[in-house]
Amino acid sequence: MAADIKILFCIGLAVVLTGVGESALIGKSHSGGKDDSVLQYVVNNSLREHPVLTKLKLKTLEDRWSIMMVAVEQAQLMANLIRLINGTKAIEIGMYTGYNALSMALAMPDNGHVVACEIEETYIEIGKPFFREAGVEEKIDIRHQTALKTLDDLIEAGEAGMYDFVFIDADKSNYDRYYEKSLELIRTGGIIAIDNVLWSGRVINPAPEDLTSQALDALNKKLHKDERIDLSMLTVGDGLTIAIKR
Ligand SMILES: C[S@@+](CC[C@H](N)C(=O)[O-])C[C@H]1O[C@@H](n2cnc3c(N)ncnc32)[C@H](O)[C@@H]1O
Ligand SMILES: *[C@@H]1O[C@H](CO)[C@@H](O)[C@H](O)[C@H]1NC(C)=O
Ligand SMILES: *[C@@H]1O[C@H](CO)[C@@H](O)[C@H](O)[C@H]1NC(C)=O
């Protein structure tokens, strides 16, 4: 099952990585890497990467599925959004090796808390030593089970309306369910960030057999009309929708 998920991710992302190239170091792009020099300029002139995040990124790039890692400039944007709303409680749906979970934890005050959902033990083990090294191990609550189970656990524990920020970045077929449960868990004025909403441009007139692109396109159209939120769809990374709960 995990292998299927990974294959789906890799079919969906258009950045063709030939080993650990320059594009891998600056992150994935909806443009399929065609605007590399502009993206490189952006990163050169705005990225402020914590030294442990740099280390975790380099370690992650050794993994064959490193294409799944969040774009670094996107992680920084989300950290800044958390600062802007004084966020102290966040959920990461699909942690992988933990670049964004660590980035969010570092952006929060000492009482900050990140619930990180991940089903693959190997990835969790890659990330953990870096959380420790950065001194935020206690802020990151890793839940090794399906993300849907974790979201249900949080709702059952009476945590509805308590979260400031959710990043949805796991299996695309469950995105709509993740969105609905996140909306329950988030407070008014809290933010749900949804990754890969452009799916390398494939959401435009998806092919009949391309169920992933169809699901993402349907979710994009649903959010456009959803009166429970205000939204922006950004072209950062592979497309990022920011939904603010009304
Ligand atoms: C695109 S990667 C996440 C990247 C990560 N946000 C980062 O900062 O680099 C998606 C992750 O979701 C995990 N995943 C897939 N299906 C899942 C599920 N049902 N529950 C929890 N995690 C899942 C995968 O194992 C993978 O590590
Ligand atoms: C970005 O920085 C790298 C390393 O210093 C440099 O080689 C590259 O030319 C820079 N690119 C741009 C577009 O600024
Ligand atoms: C965030 O906290 C600062 C300092 O405590 C406060 O001045 C500011 O108004 C808060 N911002 C929001 C959006 O709550």
Side-chain angles (χ1 to χ4, degrees), residues 164-236:
D164 303 297
F165 194 92
V166 180
F167 182 40
I168 300 179
D169 192 18
D171 48 323
K172 310 305 155 199
S173 55
N174 275 317
Y175 259 34
D176 194 27
R177 271 175 282 244
Y178 293 147
Y179 171 69
E180 288 299 332
K181 289 182 194 293
S182 298
L183 209 49
E184 243 180 287
L185 286 161
I186 213 95
R187 65 164 165 93
T188 299
I191 296 172
I192 303 172
I194 308 172
D195 202 20
N196 306 109
V197 296
L198 295 175
W199 208 234
S200 310
R202 244 164 275 170
V203 288
I204 305 165
N205 302 320
E209 67 282 3
D210 185 353
L211 299 181
T212 303
S213 301
Q214 285 172 34
L216 287 166
D217 179 42
L219 183 63
N220 288 339
K221 288 178 163 63
K222 166 177 158 171
L223 262 61
H224 190 197
K225 291 184 300 192
D226 193 338
E227 307 251 328
R228 298 171 295 176
I229 55 158
D230 293 305
L231 83 162
S232 286
M233 191 189 285
L234 309 177
T235 55
V236 64

Side-chain angles (χ1 to χ4, degrees), residues 22 39 46-47 72 74 104-105 113 191 194 211 219 238 243:
E22 193 74 342
L39 186 54
S46 70
L47 189 68
V72 293
Q74 179 186 328
M104 294 198 296
H113 186 81
I191 296 172
I194 308 172
L211 299 181
L219 183 63
D238 186 34

